[in-house]
């Protein structure tokens, strides 16, 4: 690798990679404001004893009790008669994390169901087009049975780091489920002995609630072969990765995930899980540990048995929250508590048996009711044309007949600023002409309590005046609730306040208004609002508009340039009330700060004198007239995100674009802006560079890890090909740089796997990703992977050269001391055996540790062997070379430069390692040979260093569990790491470049370079599939085949066959 170009190319990649990492870390360290309220409680944890027949376990089971009074544990357990719910903590979590949701469940049971706000509720649409009937869901004024919250104590173990821990947690959760059900039987028997009469039925199933990895443990327990039949029928997970681990490093962890998910698919196909409902709640974009893409249950649980919802689109929550905050965020735990209590059938006192009824209850309690025309979610929230909307309850004190005189609106826009008790008529045919066939109303008036809306087939004074065939349809229940900001305060009594934020949206499509002539908006008179105080300031703005007129777009180049200068879009007055803004690049990849600045609000048309209007502050006057904007962003994966009071805010959706499994259309984000049509705005968008770097690393870290293995394999391929062609073996850094050459190497190594992935998507049932974004993101990930490998190479090179220089320095100056100690050490028989059979000793120790202790320790021994060999070769090179130029050491110099070698220099230096290649008639210098050996072993060192880093989290978890006893590693991990060890031992010499000899055909063999190319492609595709642990399969396969071929080769050489190598010389004199 020569010249300024090579250095500049590598330096650019390293600087960009480090820059992205630093920007991401900076943004991750910034505090997050989530808007959650704190939850308070008085916790008591009652231990549940294990039966005497069961051996002692390191885990524990507890029952939660809310209250500050001291209680008798035995008496409390004796009165146990609620609905059992088991909480399972996540990675490193505590059983005490149950306290927030358990405390709120107790308060919800005592307070009863929340009052109905009469907004539109979400409705479940089944695959056959049949909508769930509301009569299926029981409506109660008081909950009939409380929830008994249990929690398992899993000792805070890190289940996300090791698949074996995950399996042990699953087995204990199965035991805990059985123990809970048995405890209810024991409690009932104890009450019966005391003479109590029992009328309630014993529970036969447990509701599982899991956080993070605890949610996956809950699903694994459901398909465990030892679980009793129908012991679990409802699973609720919080921030749980269902599709794959957050970072898939350990092979056994990825395999366990695949096994459990496959069992779930088989369970629904065979109807064994037909009664199990799974609901996944994600934390949204603020959850940096688990992305919504991983929390989705698509492909695992059919849509008739479960769904995933983001906390941003969750009713009465509307917030994105961090991974741990989701456990105590009061808005969320209150809603979850009421949801679980609503699952209890008032007749039986047990969870509802019907799967559809339970799923419909989850849908109504969690989804915000946003119809498909607004949120564009068609999976669970769908609106039928023939749907019947319930009218307002008759108990309300006001009706249309009690209204004052009617108003007839002649303009497409209608504004209501007070509860004046009037009915406004809008002619659909007249006002909805010229393409303005959609009507939207935003208001802060409660449906039925403050405002009612009707569709009329013709004009009449009362609904009862029309015949049965032309009845008026009340559509008030189509008002959808949205989160609203704080109401403005009144500065002086009687003074006008700022416009309040809207709390509801009413949307009518052309199909909704088909067959009707008039739309009426009836506002209640302020004194007669039934049971609820009127808002301090009332507002309602409606408009007939053409949706096509409100479409704006931020193209890709504008978004990228907005990093330096923001892009502005002007919205003039009399614009559509709903502006559809399309961001051509998904806001989950490039979060953008969207700002709305009010530039005008019709001051000149206000009727005030010009001099008086000019003295009034324009911004203050516009706040009195214009309602605060609202933004609704939707994503196919994360659902709807609502941002109220939007004047300047970073809009970020938890999407996962540009992945191999991404669906078409996920490359962009649509944002619906609800803005006052009386006002003009300047809309600007600017991409946050730090947020973009954070999102990129969070989304594609697994992909980058897999591609890093591919980069190393491609570099090893370059070294193997050089040895095969009798050329100097390049350094690993030089090989990486050569593979980045344009066009041939880059096209072959970086672009070809992407084309293979796209071709495979065409042939399979996988969704076809968007080519442009998938291509560019994959290339960026490949370049970052190169940057990471270059940093590792440079770090290990600097350390190797430093230690080698120091070693040679002391060796040459204290030669007599070294010889004496070396002789004393060599006198030991064990030392002589190890020196002669160092590879055998290394392999035996490494394999023993891999099989019986932990795979990471065996890989550490292999890494130590590579380091010693590299150190020995580099020291020999320094000793043999009187002048070693710095650029030669790092691979930037002329590798063909030879150094003269003298016998006395060899004797004064270090001994020759068994991996050194030397023949009497060679023409390559001893120093060059040692440098080639260093380059080769350095490549293996980097490859196996990555392997060790993959097992490092598992090793940390293993050290934490040493005090609890020792378990053997998983068989899969041991087998794969044995293959990695064999690869490091059998391919330790550069002349072992023949991977497999075709039997009976001397000279026809599969070369190591070609095998490394295939292994690199495999790791590349595994990275695109977010499964970097599959790199171990490639390394293990190479190691096992190399081991078998070395045995065959040694047997042939013992039989008299000559050793065959296509390289003529190993080193020159």
């Amino acid at each position: 690798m020569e010249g300024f170009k090579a250095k500049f190319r590598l330096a650019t990649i390293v600087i960009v990679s480090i820059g992205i990492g630093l920007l991401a870390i900076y943004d991750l360290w910034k505090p997050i404001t989530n808007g959650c309220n704190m939850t308070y409680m008085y916790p008591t944890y009652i231990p549940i004893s294990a039966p005497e027949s069961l051996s002692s376990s390191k885990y524990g089971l507890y029952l939660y009790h809310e209250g500050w009074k001291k209680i008798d544990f035995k008496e409390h357990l004796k009165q146990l008669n609620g609905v059992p719910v088991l909480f399972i903590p996540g990675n490193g979590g505590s059983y005490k994390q149950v306290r927030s949701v358990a405390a709120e469940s107790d308060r919800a049971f005592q307070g009863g169901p929340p009052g109905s706000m009469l907004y539109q509720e979400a409705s479940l649409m089944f695959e056959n087009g049949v909508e769930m009937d509301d009569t299926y869901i029981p409506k109660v004024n008081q909950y009939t049975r409380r929830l008994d919250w249990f929690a398992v104590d899993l000792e805070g173990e890190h289940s996300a780091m090791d698949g074996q821990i995950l399996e042990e947690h699953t087995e204990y959760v199965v035991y805990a489920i059985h123990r809970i059900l048995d405890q209810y039987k024991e409690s009932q028997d104890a009450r019966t002995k005391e003479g109590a009469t029992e009328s309630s039925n014993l529970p036969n199933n447990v509701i599982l609630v899991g956080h993070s990895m605890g949610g996956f443990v809950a699903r694994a327990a459901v398909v465990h072969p030892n679980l009793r039949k129908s012991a679990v029928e409802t699973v609720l997970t919080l921030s749980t990765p269902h599709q794959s681990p957050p970072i898939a490093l350990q092979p056994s962890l990825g395999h366990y995930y695949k096994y459990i998910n496959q069992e779930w698919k088989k369970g629904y196909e065979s109807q064994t899980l037909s009664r199990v409902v799974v609901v996944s709640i994600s934390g949204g974009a603020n959850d940096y540990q688990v992305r919504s893409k991983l929390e989705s249950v698509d492909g695992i649980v059919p849509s008739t048995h479960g769904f995933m919802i983001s906390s941003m689109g969750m009713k009465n929550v509307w917030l994105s929250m961090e991974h741990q905050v989701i456990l105590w965020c009061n808005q969320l735990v209150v809603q979850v508590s009421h949801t679980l209590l609503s699952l209890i059938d008032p007749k039986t006192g047990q969870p509802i048996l019907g799967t559809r009824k339970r799923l419909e209850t989850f849908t109504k309690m969690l989804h915000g009711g946003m119809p498909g025309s607004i949120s564009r979610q068609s999976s669970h929230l769908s609106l039928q044309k023939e749907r019947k909307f319930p009218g307002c309850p008759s108990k309300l004190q006001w009706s249309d007949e009690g209204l004052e005189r009617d108003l007839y609106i002649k303009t497409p826009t209608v504004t209501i600023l007070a509860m004046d008790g009037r009915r406004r008529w809008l002619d659909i045919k007249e006002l909805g002409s010229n393409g303005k066939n959609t009507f939207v109303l935003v208001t802060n008036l409660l449906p039925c309590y403050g405002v009612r809306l009707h569709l009329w087939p013709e004009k009449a004074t009362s609904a009862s005046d029309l015949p049965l065939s032309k009845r008026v349809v009340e559509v008030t229940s189509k008002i959808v609730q949205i989160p609203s900001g704080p109401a403005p305060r009144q500065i002086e009594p009687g003074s006008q306040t700022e416009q309040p934020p809207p709390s509801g949206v009413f949307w009518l499509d052309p199909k909704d208004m088909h067959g009707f002539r008039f739309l009426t908006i009836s506002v209640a008179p302020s004194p007669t609002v039934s049971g609820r105080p009127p808002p301090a300031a009332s507002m309602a703005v409606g408009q007939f508009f053409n949706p096509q007129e409100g479409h704006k777009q931020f193209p890709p180049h504008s978004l990228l340039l907005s990093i330096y200068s923001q892009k502005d879009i002007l919205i003039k007055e009399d614009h559509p009330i709903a502006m559809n803004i399309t961001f051509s690049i998904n806001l989950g990849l490039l979060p953008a700060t969207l700002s709305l600045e009010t530039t005008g609000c019709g001051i000149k048309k206000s009727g005030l004198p010009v001099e008086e209007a000019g003295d009034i502050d324009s911004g203050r006057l516009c706040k009195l007239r214009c309602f605060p904007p609202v933004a609704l962003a939707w994503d196919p994966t994360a659902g709807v995100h609502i941002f109220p009071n939007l004047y300047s805010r970073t809009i970020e959706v938890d999407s996962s674009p540009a992945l191999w499994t991404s669906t078409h259309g996920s490359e962009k984000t649509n944002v619906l802006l609800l803005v006052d049509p009386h006002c003009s705005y300047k809309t600007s968008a600017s991409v946050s560079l730090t947020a973009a770097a954070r999102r990129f690393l969070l989304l594609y870290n697994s992909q980058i890890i897999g591609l890093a293995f591919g980069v190393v394999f491609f570099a090893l391929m370059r070294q193997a090909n050089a040895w095969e062609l009798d050329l100097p073996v390049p350094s690993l850094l030089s090989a990486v740089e050569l593979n980045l050459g344009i066009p041939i190497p880059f096209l072959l190594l970086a672009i070809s796997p992407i084309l293979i992935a796209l071709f495979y998507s065409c042939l399979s049932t996988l969704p076809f990703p968007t080519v442009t974004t998938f291509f560019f993101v994959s290339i960026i990930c490949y370049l970052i992977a190169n940057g990471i490998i270059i940093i590792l190479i440079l770090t290990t090179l600097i350390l190797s050269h430093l230690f080698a220089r120091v070693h040679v320095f002391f060796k040459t100056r204290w030669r007599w001391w070294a010889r004496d100690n070396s002789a004393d050490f060599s006198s030991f028989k064990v030392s002589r055996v190890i020196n002669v059979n160092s590879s055998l000793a290394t392999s035996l120790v490494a394999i023993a540790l891999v099989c019986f202790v932990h795979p990471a320790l065996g890989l550490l021994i292999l890494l130590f062997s590579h380091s010693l060999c590299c150190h020995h070769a580099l020291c020999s090179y320094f000793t043999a070379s009187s002048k070693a130029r710095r650029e030669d050491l790092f691979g930037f110099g002329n590798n063909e430069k030879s150094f003269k070698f003298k016998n006395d220099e060899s004797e004064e230096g270090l001994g020759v390692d068994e991996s050194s290649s030397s023949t009497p008639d060679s023409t390559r210098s001893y120093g060059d040979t040692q440098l080639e050996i260093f380059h080769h072993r350095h490549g293996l060192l980097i490859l196996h260093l990555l392997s060790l880093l993959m097992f490092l989290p598992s090793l940390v978890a293993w050290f934490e569990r040493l005090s609890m006893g020792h378990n053997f590693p998983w068989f899969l991990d041991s087998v794969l790491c044995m293959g990695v060890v064999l690869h490091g031992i059998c391919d330790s010499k550069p002349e072992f470049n023949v991977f497999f000899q075709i039997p009976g055909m001397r000279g026809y063999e599969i070369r190591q370079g070609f095998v490394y190319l295939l292994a690199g492609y495999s790791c590349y595709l595994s990275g695109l599939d977010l499964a970097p642990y599959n790199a171990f399969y490639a390394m293990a396969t190479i190691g096992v085949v190399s081991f078998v071929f070395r045995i065959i080769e040694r047997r042939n050489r013992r039989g008299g066959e000559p050793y065959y190598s296509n390289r003529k010389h190993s080193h020159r004199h």
Side-chain angles (χ1 to χ4, degrees):
M1 182 173 54
E2 298 179 20
F4 174 77
K5 264 187 178 180
K7 297 179 182 179
F8 179 77
R9 186 184 305 163
L10 294 183
T12 302
I13 294 176
V14 170
I15 292 173
V16 170
S17 301
I18 294 177
I20 292 176
L22 292 178
L23 289 174
I25 293 174
Y26 171 77
D27 198 78
L28 286 171
W29 277 352
K30 288 165 55 175
I32 299 175
T33 304
N34 49 47
C36 284
N37 299 327
M38 183 63 73
T39 303
Y40 299 94
M41 70 294 294
Y42 298 94
T44 301
Y45 306 96
I46 304 172
I48 305 297
S49 60
E52 297 179 358
S53 58
L54 186 69
S55 60
S56 60
S57 173
K58 57 184 176 182
Y59 305 129
L61 178 64
Y62 291 86
L63 171 65
Y64 180 88
H65 171 71
E66 174 65 18
W68 57 271
K69 293 183 179 180
K70 187 176 181 180
I71 62 172
D72 184 88
F73 288 176
K74 291 184 178 180
E75 287 296 324
H76 186 79
L77 288 175
K78 192 183 298 182
Q79 303 302 323
L80 199 63
N81 65 346
V83 175
V85 183
L86 177 61
F87 173 78
I88 308 171
N91 179 53
S94 169
Y95 68 96
K96 295 182 179 180
Q97 291 173 329
V98 71
R99 58 187 180 268
S100 296
V101 64
E104 287 299 337
S105 296
D106 187 74
R107 298 189 188 103
F109 173 77
Q110 297 177 15
S116 176
M117 302 291 286
L118 301 180
Y119 286 106
Q120 177 175 332
E121 293 183 334
S123 180
L124 186 66
M125 186 70 66
F126 297 113
E127 296 177 352
N128 54 7
V130 177
E131 187 180 5
M132 172 63 75
D133 190 354
D134 293 342
T135 58
Y136 288 180
I137 309 302
K139 296 178 176 59
V140 295
N141 297 323
Q142 181 62 41
Y143 297 124
T144 56
R145 190 71 66 90
R146 68 170 63 246
L147 299 177
D148 293 328
W149 283 88
F150 296 82
V152 287
D153 179 13
L154 301 177
E155 296 292 336
E157 294 180 340
H158 292 83
S159 54
M161 297 181 179
D162 192 281
Q164 189 173 16
I165 298 177
L166 208 59
E167 187 180 35
E168 291 179 6
H169 287 182
T170 301
E171 293 175 352
Y172 184 77
V173 167
V174 172
Y175 156 75
I177 294 171
H178 297 164
R179 183 68 189 91
I180 291 171
L181 295 176
D182 294 341
Q183 181 62 52
Y184 278 87
K185 181 67 169 62
E186 295 174 8
S187 300
Q188 188 185 62
D189 293 342
R191 293 194 300 268
T192 304
K193 288 182 180 180
E194 294 180 355
T197 56
E198 295 294 335
S199 58
S200 59
N201 297 325
L202 286 175
N204 55 8
N205 64 80
V206 179
I207 299 175
L208 300 184
V209 176
H211 170 247
S212 188
M213 298 300 292
F216 181 79
V217 170
R219 285 204 305 112
V222 173
V223 294
H224 197 278
N226 295 335
L227 184 70
R228 298 174 189 172
K229 185 177 181 181
S230 302
V232 176
E233 295 184 351
T234 304
V235 179
L236 177 65
T237 65
L238 306 173
S239 295
T240 294
H242 290 288
Q243 299 292 336
S244 65
I247 302 180
L249 301 180
Q250 190 187 21
S252 61
L253 185 61
H255 173 76
Y256 191 61
Y257 253 85
K258 286 185 176 180
Y259 167 75
I260 295 300
N261 289 340
Q262 192 64 33
E263 289 297 311
W264 272 76
K265 295 175 185 178
K266 293 179 181 178
Y268 282 113
E269 292 174 358
S270 61
Q271 299 297 314
T272 57
L273 298 179
S274 60
R275 299 178 64 179
V276 180
V277 171
V278 180
V279 174
S280 173
I281 300 177
S282 71
N286 285 344
D287 189 348
Y288 294 163
Q289 298 186 35
V290 184
R291 276 74 61 200
S292 294
K293 179 76 172 179
L294 301 180
E295 297 172 271
S296 172
V297 293
D298 293 344
I300 302 173
V301 179
S303 59
T304 56
H305 289 75
F307 58 85
M308 188 272 288
I309 182 172
S310 171
S311 59
M312 280 290 292
M314 193 170 164
K315 183 192 294 185
N316 300 328
V317 181
W318 323 108
L319 297 171
S320 179
M321 56 199 68
E322 298 96 304
H323 193 67
Q324 297 295 331
V325 173
I326 199 171
L327 287 169
W328 57 259
C329 181
N330 188 258
Q331 293 94 320
L332 186 137
V333 296
V334 167
Q335 195 66 25
V336 168
S337 300
H338 284 288
T339 301
L340 295 178
L341 286 168
S342 300
L343 292 175
I344 302 175
D345 192 333
K347 297 181 181 179
T348 63
Q350 298 299 326
I352 301 171
L353 293 178
T355 303
R356 290 189 173 186
K357 296 179 183 180
R358 269 180 288 140
L359 193 60
E360 176 69 7
T361 302
F362 274 116
T363 303
K364 286 187 177 296
M365 294 297 295
L366 298 181
H367 277 286
M370 194 69 66
S373 55
I374 301 178
S375 66
R376 301 198 177 180
Q377 297 183 80
S378 58
S379 59
H380 300 290
L381 301 179
S382 182
L383 186 64
Q384 283 191 350
K385 181 178 177 181
E386 301 284 335
R387 180 175 178 180
K388 297 179 180 180
F389 294 94
C392 292
S394 58
K395 64 180 180 180
L396 295 182
Q397 297 177 2
W398 72 285
S399 60
D400 292 348
E401 287 76 6
L403 298 175
E404 298 182 12
R405 65 184 181 87
D406 294 347
L407 297 178
Y408 299 91
I409 307 301
K410 298 297 184 181
T411 60
T413 302
V414 57
T415 304
I416 301 171
L417 298 178
M419 300 182 69
D420 51 11
R422 294 183 176 182
R423 177 169 54 191
R424 291 157 174 83
W425 288 83
L426 291 84
D427 191 331
I428 297 175
K429 183 177 181 180
E430 179 182 346
L431 301 179
S433 59
N434 299 324
K436 298 180 178 181
N437 53 8
T438 303
F439 180 80
V440 169
L441 175 78
V442 294
T443 180
N444 72 332
L445 299 175
L446 290 176
C448 296
Y449 294 100
V451 65
R452 299 177 69 172
L453 298 101
H454 298 79
L455 288 172
W456 299 68
E458 60 183 56
K459 183 70 173 65
T461 58
S462 176
S464 59
D465 296 340
L466 296 176
L468 292 175
S469 60
K470 296 183 178 181
R471 283 296 184 186
V472 178
V473 177
E474 182 170 6
V475 289
T476 309
S477 59
K478 276 181 64 75
I479 300 179
V480 177
Q481 183 183 11
I482 60 174
S484 60
R489 293 182 297 176
Q490 197 172 31
I491 300 175
E492 298 177 0
S495 64
Q496 184 179 357
T497 63
E498 297 178 1
Q499 279 280 9
S503 59
V505 179
F506 176 78
W507 189 289
L508 284 180
D509 284 332
K511 63 179 182 179
D512 299 321
M513 296 181 286
H514 180 71
F516 297 97
R517 178 62 187 272
F518 294 96
L519 169 67
T520 59
I521 305 174
S522 304
V523 180
S526 181
T528 61
V529 176
S530 174
R532 295 180 183 271
S538 306
M539 63 80 57
V541 178
Q543 185 189 57
F544 284 95
F545 70 101
N546 184 356
Q548 300 299 325
E549 295 178 357
H551 184 75
K552 303 291 182 180
Q553 184 174 9
F554 284 102
H557 64 275
S558 299
L559 283 175
L560 295 176
L561 293 176
S562 68
I563 298 176
Y564 308 100
S565 61
Q566 62 184 18
K567 169 70 175 177
D568 297 335
I569 293 179
L570 299 178
I571 302 177
K572 299 180 179 180
E573 296 178 10
D574 298 325
H575 55 77
I577 190 173
M579 304 292 297
N580 191 2
I581 299 181
T582 300
F583 291 85
S584 300
I585 300 179
N586 195 291
L587 294 181
L589 181 59
L590 293 181
T593 300
L594 188 63
S595 302
L596 268 75
E597 179 184 350
T598 306
T599 58
C601 51
I603 296 178
K604 296 181 180 180
K605 301 178 183 180
S606 62
L608 297 173
V610 177
E611 60 276 5
E612 185 178 348
D615 295 336
I616 300 178
D617 179 40
S618 175
R620 179 173 175 272
L621 184 61
C622 290
K623 285 186 177 181
L624 297 177
R625 182 170 188 181
C626 310
F627 67 81
V630 179
L632 296 91
W634 52 82
D635 179 79
T637 301
V640 65
H641 299 65
I642 305 178
F643 304 89
N645 290 25
L646 181 76
Y647 287 107
S648 180
R649 185 168 178 180
T650 300
I651 296 183
E652 178 180 337
V653 298
D654 194 17
S655 181
S656 299
L659 294 176
W660 194 356
T661 56
S662 297
T663 57
H664 185 73
S666 62
E667 76 281 358
K668 59 184 179 181
T669 301
N670 291 324
V671 177
L672 182 69
L673 281 179
L674 299 176
V675 286
D676 200 313
H678 304 99
C679 309
S680 59
Y681 301 89
K682 182 176 72 172
T683 306
S684 60
S686 59
V687 172
S688 172
L689 192 59
T690 58
R694 167 178 55 81
R695 287 294 301 175
F696 192 90
L697 291 187
L698 289 178
L699 288 174
Y700 308 113
N701 51 56
S702 296
Q703 185 167 328
I704 293 172
I705 294 172
L707 297 185
F709 277 97
V711 171
V712 178
F713 272 121
F714 292 151
L716 292 176
M717 174 204 69
R718 178 74 65 171
Q719 290 182 336
N721 289 341
W723 180 273
E724 180 183 350
L725 298 175
D726 202 15
L727 297 174
V729 176
S731 68
L732 195 65
L733 192 64
S734 176
V736 171
E737 191 280 328
L738 290 173
N739 289 335
L740 291 172
I742 297 177
I744 299 301
F746 193 80
L747 178 66
L748 177 66
L749 303 179
I751 299 179
S752 296
I754 302 176
L755 300 178
I756 294 173
L758 294 174
F759 180 72
Y760 179 76
S761 297
C762 293
L763 298 180
S764 65
T765 57
L766 294 174
F768 194 80
T770 304
V771 177
T772 305
T773 55
F774 176 65
F775 177 82
F776 280 106
V777 167
S778 300
I779 292 298
I780 294 174
C781 290
Y782 179 75
L783 295 178
I784 293 177
N786 276 272
I788 293 174
I789 296 303
I790 292 170
I791 294 172
L792 282 178
I793 293 173
L794 290 175
T795 302
T796 52
L797 278 177
I798 292 173
L799 293 176
S800 300
H801 296 154
L802 178 64
F803 287 128
R805 289 281 190 183
V806 172
H807 189 179
V808 171
F809 175 79
F810 284 104
K811 186 77 173 179
T812 54
R813 279 156 180 76
W814 286 283
R815 188 178 310 152
W816 60 271
W817 179 87
R819 285 181 179 178
D820 292 342
N821 284 274
S822 176
D824 293 340
F825 183 75
S826 301
S827 62
F828 292 103
K829 184 176 181 180
V830 175
S831 175
R832 292 197 302 269
V833 173
I834 293 178
N835 286 333
V836 175
N837 303 284
S838 60
S839 297
L840 178 61
T842 301
S843 60
L844 291 178
V845 173
I847 291 176
L849 291 174
V850 162
C851 294
F852 301 107
V853 185
H854 193 277
L857 298 179
L859 294 178
L860 187 63
I861 296 297
L862 179 64
L863 208 64
F864 183 69
S865 172
H866 290 326
S867 301
L868 285 181
C869 182
C870 289
H871 178 75
H872 182 88
L874 205 55
C875 289
S876 300
Y877 169 71
F878 286 148
T879 304
S881 322
S882 58
K883 294 181 181 180
R885 292 180 303 176
R886 182 179 180 182
E887 56 268 24
D888 285 329
L889 304 182
F890 286 88
F892 286 101
N894 186 0
N895 285 330
E896 295 181 0
K897 195 80 174 177
S898 62
F899 296 91
K900 299 299 181 181
F901 172 72
K902 296 181 179 179
N903 291 332
D904 54 348
E905 290 179 350
S906 174
E907 294 174 358
E908 294 175 358
L910 298 176
V912 180
D913 185 80
E914 71 167 3
S915 59
S916 303
S917 300
S918 59
T919 54
D921 58 345
S922 67
T923 58
R924 189 174 298 276
S925 72
Y926 173 77
D928 286 346
T929 303
Q930 294 301 311
L931 191 60
E932 288 186 345
I933 292 174
F934 170 78
H935 291 162
H936 173 74
R937 290 298 287 263
H938 185 230
L940 295 180
L941 185 145
I942 295 297
L943 178 65
H944 297 143
L945 175 61
L946 289 178
S947 305
L948 176 63
L949 293 177
M950 294 276 281
F951 271 96
L952 209 55
S954 175
L955 182 63
V956 172
W958 178 79
F959 275 116
E960 291 179 349
R961 307 178 75 210
L962 276 179
S963 60
M964 303 178 189
H966 173 70
N967 292 324
F968 290 110
W970 265 30
F971 180 74
L972 178 64
D973 292 338
S974 298
V975 169
L976 292 178
C977 288
M978 283 177 57
V980 175
V981 171
L982 292 176
H983 171 240
I985 299 299
C986 297
D987 296 325
S988 59
K989 299 180 182 180
E991 58 263 32
F992 288 162
N993 67 324
V994 178
F995 178 70
F996 186 75
Q997 178 75 44
I998 300 178
M1001 302 180 66
R1002 172 59 67 180
Y1004 292 92
E1005 61 272 328
I1006 300 175
R1007 292 288 175 180
Q1008 197 79 20
F1010 178 72
V1011 174
Y1012 282 149
L1013 175 65
L1014 296 181
Y1017 277 171
S1018 174
C1019 294
Y1020 201 123
L1021 294 175
S1022 298
L1024 295 180
D1025 197 30
L1026 305 182
Y1029 56 84
N1030 285 335
F1032 283 92
Y1033 290 92
M1035 287 184 287
T1037 302
I1038 295 175
V1040 171
V1041 177
S1042 297
F1043 176 71
V1044 173
F1045 178 68
R1046 299 295 172 261
I1047 294 177
I1048 296 175
E1049 183 184 49
R1050 176 168 295 187
R1051 181 180 300 174
N1052 293 338
R1053 292 176 66 181
R1054 287 178 179 176
E1057 295 185 14
Y1059 173 73
Y1060 177 79
S1061 176
N1062 67 322
R1063 183 151 182 160
K1064 297 179 180 179
H1065 304 292
S1066 296
H1067 72 269
R1068 299 187 183 100
H1069 284 289

